[in-house]
Amino acid sequence: MLRALHNIFRLGIKELFSLARDPVLVVLILYTFTVAVAVVSKGVQTEVRNAAIAIVDEDRSSVSARLRGAFLPPYFQPPQLIGYEEMDRLLDSGRVSFVLVIPEGFERDLLTDRAPVLQLNVDATAMTLAGNGTAYVQRIVQEEIARFLSRAEATTDYPASIVPRARFNPNLHSVWFLAVNQVINNVSILAVVLSGAAVIREREHGTIEHLLVMPVTSLEIMLSKVWANGLVIVFAAVASLFAVVQGALGVPVPGSLAVFALGAAVYLFAATSLGIMLSTIATTMPQFGLLAIPVFMILFLLSGGITPLEAMPDGLRLAMQASPASHFTAFSQAVLYRGAGLSLVWPQLLAMAGIGAAFFAFALMRFRATMAAVR
């Protein structure tokens, strides 16, 4: 047992030196956990910012003037006052995302309780902006109409009111969500890339034959690659959360980075095994890259980080329970967003460990077959 542990440790050190001598992978790690996190967090906006809006004002009344003046920066650009015949052209060209049509006689019908209707035309090709912006426009219009009616009438009775309270991200800043989520996704991507590249690199450089003549087993070789690449990714992820997310971007991380590192280490046991399994199917690095792309897409889009699992079809949601990425995303969001401790996230840790054991066993079987074929 001690000899096996010694072999695993020494082979892992060899993997670290081999990785350090690969400038492409070193630059990839640095870029993924620094520039990529900052650029995506700052560049992608899910809230409404500087949206272009136009207004077709056929009423030319005091209430329509109030509505025109209600759309203010930083959420909207100053509204363009256009004619009805210009609406389709502006929407088709993408120059505006919203066109609000105020019909003739709107104020008169509003004061006489005739329930007038406003028309909001939305460019839904920008899906996130369309959904969030529509809610913004509706709220602004409703509030301005309520203020107008409160001046026109003696009293305005509201039977109930809703006071929203956003927890964990009170100002709904997309940067707070995207920065942490990008680190979580990059852990999955690099785990597959580094572990798979380690095996492909051995094969392309011819060093796998050297391993075969050494008194080491396939299990020891595979475990050394898992712990060495996993250690690099955990260190890079924690450093990114501390230096880039908290330091450069100013995003608070209320959870424990130690608990996150523990969960990431358990998850990487499964993710690196997946990378090694893919490397036993591919024979060259280009083949491995093409094979890994659909795996990245599934891990990225269906893990629950972008789209909630509850919104997926029942069959797909159940199938994704077999993915360690789904449990890692739930674990990371609970720890990093909500400050959860081990007493709350142990089910996700247990699920990742169980799935990781299954992935590792299957990858080890494939790796042994590959080593036997080389012999």
Side-chain angles (χ1 to χ4, degrees):
M1 177 63 70
L2 291 178
R3 183 178 182 82
L5 292 176
H6 177 76
N7 290 340
I8 293 170
F9 175 76
R10 298 301 300 177
L11 287 172
I13 297 298
K14 178 192 75 69
E15 287 294 326
L16 293 177
F17 278 108
S18 179
L19 177 61
R21 290 193 296 268
D22 192 328
V24 174
L25 290 181
V26 171
V27 171
L28 176 64
I29 295 171
L30 294 176
Y31 171 82
T32 301
F33 284 108
T34 55
V35 177
V37 173
V39 170
V40 171
S41 302
K42 288 292 187 179
V44 178
Q45 297 290 330
T46 57
E47 69 265 26
V48 178
R49 282 288 185 273
N50 204 35
I53 184 171
I55 296 179
V56 178
D57 188 358
E58 297 182 333
D59 191 38
R60 302 287 177 167
S61 60
S62 59
V63 68
S64 66
R66 290 176 62 97
L67 292 175
R68 294 199 308 269
F71 296 97
L72 301 172
Y75 304 109
F76 294 93
Q77 299 177 14
Q80 304 178 41
L81 189 61
I82 64 173
Y84 195 85
E85 68 282 355
E86 300 178 79
M87 179 177 65
D88 289 340
R89 178 175 58 83
L90 291 177
L91 286 171
D92 291 343
S93 63
R95 293 173 57 186
V96 298
S97 299
F98 305 94
V99 176
L100 181 65
V101 179
I102 305 174
E104 184 179 357
F106 177 75
E107 181 177 310
R108 180 191 65 241
D109 295 341
L110 193 64
L111 294 174
T112 55
D113 293 330
R114 294 183 181 178
V117 176
L118 295 173
Q119 182 186 79
L120 179 63
N121 298 273
V122 183
D123 177 11
T125 55
M127 186 178 62
T128 301
L129 175 62
N132 294 340
T134 298
Y136 275 55
V137 172
Q138 289 176 337
R139 182 173 180 178
I140 290 171
V141 169
Q142 290 170 355
E143 290 180 352
E144 287 302 319
I145 291 176
R147 292 192 186 99
F148 173 77
L149 293 177
S150 67
R151 294 185 179 183
E153 300 175 2
T155 58
T156 301
D157 296 326
Y158 297 94
S161 61
I162 297 177
V163 179
R165 180 188 177 193
R167 299 186 64 184
F168 317 120
N169 187 358
N171 294 318
L172 302 179
H173 290 316
S174 62
V175 174
W176 286 28
F177 168 75
L178 291 171
V180 175
N181 194 61
Q182 189 68 13
V183 173
I184 296 171
N185 290 329
N186 290 347
V187 167
S188 299
I189 294 174
L190 276 186
V192 176
V193 170
L194 293 186
S195 58
V199 177
I200 299 292
R201 185 171 55 243
E202 299 275 14
R203 186 180 297 133
E204 290 184 338
H205 293 176
T207 55
I208 194 168
E209 286 81 1
H210 297 169
L211 294 176
L212 293 176
V213 299
M214 295 175 62
V216 294
T217 65
S218 299
L219 176 62
E220 294 169 356
I221 296 172
M222 187 168 165
L223 282 174
S224 68
K225 296 184 183 300
V226 168
W227 84 256
N229 291 284
L231 177 65
V232 172
I233 297 171
V234 170
F235 177 80
V238 173
S240 178
L241 287 171
F242 181 76
V244 179
V245 176
Q246 291 182 308
L249 298 177
V251 177
V253 179
S256 169
L257 295 184
V259 174
F260 171 75
L262 172 63
V266 175
Y267 168 67
L268 287 169
F269 178 62
T272 53
S273 299
L274 176 60
I276 294 174
M277 182 184 67
L278 294 178
S279 69
T280 62
I281 300 173
T283 57
T284 64
M285 190 63 76
Q287 288 182 357
F288 173 75
L290 292 175
L291 186 61
I293 288 175
V295 176
F296 294 157
M297 296 301 293
I298 294 175
L299 294 179
F300 180 74
L301 296 177
L302 301 181
S303 64
I306 301 298
T307 302
L309 293 176
E310 294 78 10
M312 298 179 185
D314 293 339
L316 180 59
R317 184 176 70 251
L318 291 175
M320 289 308 298
Q321 296 303 311
S323 169
S326 300
H327 300 285
F328 178 61
T329 299
F331 164 86
S332 300
Q333 289 180 343
V335 173
L336 299 178
Y337 289 142
R338 301 186 287 272
L342 287 175
S343 61
L344 294 177
V345 297
W346 67 265
Q348 285 79 26
L349 285 174
L350 191 61
M352 287 189 292
I355 297 172
F359 275 31
F360 183 84
F362 185 75
L364 179 60
M365 181 182 66
R366 289 282 313 171
F367 187 68
R368 281 174 172 167
T370 302
M371 297 287 283
V374 173
R375 283 191 177 94

